[in-house]
Amino acid sequence: MSILAPDNALLKKAEVEAEQVVSLLRVAVSLGLLGMFYLAVAGSEIEPEHYLRRQWVFAVMTMVSYLLVGLGAFWMARTGRIRSWMVWLLVTVDCLFMLANTWVSLLNSGLPGELTFILPPTWLVPVILGFTVLRFNPYLQAYCVTFIAVGLAALSLWQPEEVTPFIVERAQNLLSGPPNIVRITMIALGGIVLVVAAWRTRRLVHQSISEAQQKANLNRYLPVQLTARLANTGLDELRRGSRQNMAVLFIDIRGFTRWSQGRDPQQVGDFITDFRSRVQGSADACGGMIDKFMGDAAMILFEGDTAAVRAVDCASGLAKSMVEWSDTRQAAKEDAVAVGIGLHWGEVFSGVVGDPQRLEYTVFGDTVNIAARLEQLTKQEQQGIIVSAAVLEAASVAPASQGWSPLPAAELRGRSGGIEIFGRR
């Protein structure tokens, strides 16, 4: 199952919220325009011309239609019915609403296209662009700008004619008090939309920074694989824990305590850094999760359908990497490196414990104890790796085919009977 990256999940959530906000703003714009339209024309004592009456009727019809679009879009966003392609359709509706109103105004008033920009509907452009900004989609924004620019350019070139006294008179009407009130209203509404866009952008950036800081803090205590899972399931889910089958691998440097005594701290630090780097590289290559480093030792976990296979591969890869490191050190006249690796497969309990200030991922159970004991047996049995028959069986590995030699059954404290094990030098 694929897991969304935290950043993508945050953007997905923002997109859903954006549609709800845009829909509410669309409703508010419609109601605001209807209110201003009523205030602008209701108190007028001058008998309007016939073309103005038609203009008013069309304006009311389109504003009511836009209100219904806003309510419908809000309902769909609220109920989770909005799909990605619908956002493009809604942006198209916004643009067409403005362009259609402008075109009908030109037709109704008989004005030439050169006077397109004195018509009140064109002042909706800032509002529409503000709606698109709220979606945080540059491609959608480019589409909206292109649509509006091309549409207005086409209207401005429509029906060019000389400016007559008739046209001057109607243009003066469009620059009178009521139309100017509508223009001021649309500028104010556009400003409100941009304020909302700026506020949501600031909130999203703040949330993203907070989550990045939280993730950075969690990475100090939890494996990287868990921080990604934490973003999707939440801390409570991980705290509840679970029982599952896992492969558990232990690796430890032999003779490290004796070797480090009396040495320069910088030399010891560099040595451990090289060791951990190689362990991390092998674990990453096989999809392992480093549960913890313990001085010169490490514990690696493998979960999932192919966990046993990856664990066996990791054990072999780790052994090879340590041999190469040892050869490199000896070539540089430094001490050789020897390690022991133990690997077992079985049921474990896993979960996160602690508070948000200090979380710790814990895996425990008989499987962990056996894996640790097998690593300790490597020195006694003079083997580089010791694995249980359980992990080879889970990985569908025939021991003889990959050079695994049977060893005497491991007798472990607290268990009746021995555990079948195999080794490799």
Side-chain angles (χ1 to χ4, degrees):
M1 180 179 64
S2 61
I3 297 177
L4 282 175
D7 290 344
N8 289 338
L10 183 62
L11 287 175
K12 195 71 176 177
K13 179 182 177 182
E15 288 175 359
V16 174
E17 290 180 351
E19 287 313 308
Q20 296 186 34
V21 173
V22 170
S23 299
L24 287 175
L25 288 173
R26 195 180 283 113
V27 171
V29 167
S30 303
L31 293 175
L33 289 176
L34 284 169
M36 284 297 100
F37 179 81
Y38 175 79
L39 293 176
V41 303
S44 177
E45 299 179 356
I46 301 175
E47 182 68 21
E49 296 183 39
H50 184 63
Y51 87 92
L52 277 179
R53 286 185 177 276
R54 292 199 308 269
Q55 185 76 16
W56 291 353
V57 170
F58 179 77
V60 171
M61 290 175 59
T62 52
M63 284 186 281
V64 171
S65 300
Y66 199 55
L67 173 63
L68 295 176
V69 169
L71 292 172
F74 177 75
W75 175 76
M76 294 181 69
R78 189 74 173 178
T79 57
R81 289 176 168 82
I82 286 288
R83 300 295 180 264
S84 297
W85 63 269
M86 295 180 184
V87 177
W88 293 82
L89 180 61
L90 289 171
V91 170
T92 303
V93 169
D94 289 336
C95 296
L96 287 175
F97 173 76
M98 182 274 298
L99 293 172
N101 269 276
T102 305
W103 179 59
V104 171
S105 296
L106 287 174
L107 280 177
N108 190 51
S109 62
L111 295 177
E114 289 96 326
L115 299 180
T116 293
F117 296 98
I118 72 169
L119 297 171
T122 59
W123 292 70
L124 271 173
V125 171
V127 177
I128 297 170
L129 293 178
F131 285 167
T132 316
V133 167
L134 284 165
R135 270 75 172 235
F136 306 109
N137 187 334
Y139 302 105
L140 197 65
Q141 190 76 44
Y143 167 74
C144 180
V145 171
T146 303
F147 198 125
I148 291 175
V150 172
L152 290 176
L155 290 175
S156 65
L157 297 174
W158 182 67
Q159 287 187 345
E161 61 179 66
E162 295 181 4
V163 178
T164 64
F166 165 78
I167 292 176
V168 171
E169 180 184 353
R170 291 199 170 181
Q172 287 177 338
N173 290 334
L174 289 171
L175 294 173
S176 61
N180 285 337
I181 292 175
V182 176
R183 290 187 183 93
I184 293 172
T185 300
M186 286 190 282
I187 291 175
L189 290 173
I192 292 172
V193 172
L194 292 176
V195 167
V196 173
W199 173 75
R200 292 195 73 249
T201 301
R202 183 182 180 88
R203 190 183 69 171
L204 185 65
V205 171
H206 182 270
Q207 184 179 353
S208 180
I209 292 173
S210 298
E211 289 188 3
Q213 290 175 336
Q214 183 183 28
K215 181 180 178 182
N217 289 333
L218 290 176
N219 278 336
R220 296 171 57 192
Y221 307 115
L222 300 179
V224 175
Q225 294 90 334
L226 285 184
T227 57
R229 193 184 308 169
L230 183 64
N232 292 276
T233 62
L235 183 58
D236 290 340
E237 182 69 23
L238 292 179
R239 274 180 167 160
R240 279 194 286 270
S242 62
R243 291 190 177 277
Q244 59 181 315
N245 285 330
M246 275 191 185
V248 182
L249 183 152
F250 278 91
I251 179 172
D252 183 65
I253 301 175
R254 292 177 180 167
F256 173 76
T257 302
R258 184 176 63 256
W259 173 87
S260 62
Q261 289 177 350
R263 291 188 181 271
D264 180 67
Q266 180 67 46
Q267 184 181 6
V268 176
D270 292 342
F271 180 83
I272 290 297
T273 298
D274 288 344
F275 167 71
R276 293 187 175 185
S277 176
R278 289 177 176 274
V279 171
Q280 185 72 64
S282 296
D284 290 344
C286 298
M289 178 169 58
I290 297 180
D291 177 75
K292 59 177 68 70
F293 283 107
M294 302 156 285
D296 61 324
M299 175 180 170
I300 309 175
L301 308 173
F302 299 85
E303 59 180 354
D305 295 336
T306 60
V309 175
R310 290 182 284 111
V312 174
D313 290 343
C314 184
S316 300
L318 267 176
K320 181 179 179 181
S321 177
M322 294 301 158
V323 169
E324 292 173 351
W325 182 33
S326 182
D327 291 343
T328 300
R329 288 179 55 83
Q330 289 185 86
K333 308 301 182 184
E334 295 179 341
D335 295 330
V337 179
V339 300
I341 299 172
L343 177 62
H344 184 50
W345 168 268
E347 186 182 73
V348 300
F349 172 86
S350 63
V352 170
V353 297
D355 56 45
Q357 302 301 319
R358 183 64 169 87
L359 296 174
E360 182 179 357
Y361 182 64
T362 298
V363 175
F364 56 86
D366 206 29
T367 300
V368 178
N369 298 332
I370 292 173
R373 176 62 179 143
L374 295 183
E375 182 277 314
Q376 296 169 5
L377 280 175
T378 56
K379 186 173 183 180
Q380 175 183 325
E381 299 292 339
Q382 297 183 350
Q383 301 288 322
I385 312 172
I386 292 182
V387 301
S388 66
V391 73
L392 295 180
E393 181 180 351
S396 300
V397 171
S401 67
Q402 294 192 11
W404 295 102
S405 303
L407 299 174
E411 299 290 342
L412 302 180
R413 185 173 56 188
R415 291 181 61 94
S416 58
I419 294 177
E420 187 179 2
I421 58 175
F422 295 85
R424 184 191 285 170
R425 293 183 183 277

